[in-house]
């Protein structure tokens, strides 16, 4: 099964998923985990992936351009899920659905949010849905992806 993870902290996900059962699945070839850093698809010297929200407001959001470019370059398996608090709760039933769907499509992909969220254009035109790990506070989607 192929799982692509889009994150600005690929080493964090890679390190966690190199251990225990996930590590064994990767070593044996059962899991093909591919990590993609949207910073690799920026055009400025600072590799900027965040910007002020278009409509105003507090905080920063992830810019759409590096995310779209990263996904386009990777051509990941679909569906592509945004990991965030407002999505469908990831539970055993959802895990079974993902596994069944992945058997036919070859996998799925995860987009890890950061900052105050993701530019709305990403929700509208790039991702296929949103997943949540439940009523917890996280500072990004990496822990949820793991």
């Amino acid at each position: 099964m192929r799982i692509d993870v889009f994150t600005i902290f690929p080493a964090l996900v890679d390190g966690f998923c190199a251990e225990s059962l996930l590590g064994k699945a990767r070593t044996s070839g059962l899991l093909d985990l591919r990590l993609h850093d949207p910073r690799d698809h920026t055009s400025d010297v600072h590799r900027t992936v965040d910007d002020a929200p278009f409509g105003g407001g507090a905080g920063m959001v992830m810019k759409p351009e590096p995310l779209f470019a990263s996904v386009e370059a990777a051509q990941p398996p679909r569906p592509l899920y945004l990991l965030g608090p407002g999505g469908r709760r990831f539970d055993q039933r959802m895990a079974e659905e993902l596994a069944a769907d992945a058997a036919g499509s070859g996998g799925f992909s995860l987009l890890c949010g950061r900052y105050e969220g993701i530019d709305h254009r990403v929700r509208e035109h790039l991702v296929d849905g949103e997943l949540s790990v439940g009523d917890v506070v996280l500072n990004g989607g990496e822990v949820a992806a793991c």
Side-chain angles (χ1 to χ4, degrees):
M1 175 186 306
R2 176 178 164 185
I3 300 175
D4 286 50
V5 178
F6 297 86
T7 172
I8 60 172
F9 297 111
L12 190 148
V13 176
D14 188 46
F16 183 91
C17 294
E19 302 297 326
S20 191
L21 293 177
L22 289 172
K24 288 179 184 179
R26 290 175 75 184
T27 302
S28 70
L30 292 173
L31 174 61
D32 178 10
L33 180 65
R34 300 182 189 188
L35 303 164
H36 310 280
D37 187 347
R39 290 185 191 279
D40 294 338
H41 298 277
T42 58
S43 57
D44 67 314
V45 69
H46 301 291
R47 300 177 63 196
T48 306
V49 294
D50 63 325
D51 200 0
F54 180 73
M60 302 293 270
V61 296
M62 292 187 78
K63 295 170 55 166
E65 297 85 2
L67 297 174
F68 276 89
S70 186
V71 169
E72 184 177 313
Q75 293 295 305
R78 293 292 187 143
L80 169 61
Y81 291 106
L82 170 64
L83 296 166
R88 179 178 171 192
R89 187 168 188 154
F90 181 78
D91 56 15
Q92 185 61 39
R93 183 175 177 180
M94 181 66 184
E96 291 167 358
E97 289 175 24
L98 278 175
D101 291 346
S105 66
F108 59 91
S109 303
L110 303 170
L111 173 60
C112 300
R114 275 278 156 180
Y115 311 112
E116 295 294 322
I118 302 283
D119 185 283
H120 189 67
R121 291 169 284 188
V122 172
R123 291 179 194 278
E124 283 185 341
H125 304 292
L126 184 63
V127 300
D128 301 306
E130 185 173 353
L131 294 179
S132 170
V133 294
D135 296 331
V136 295
V137 177
L138 303 173
N139 64 348
E142 290 77 18
V143 171
C146 292

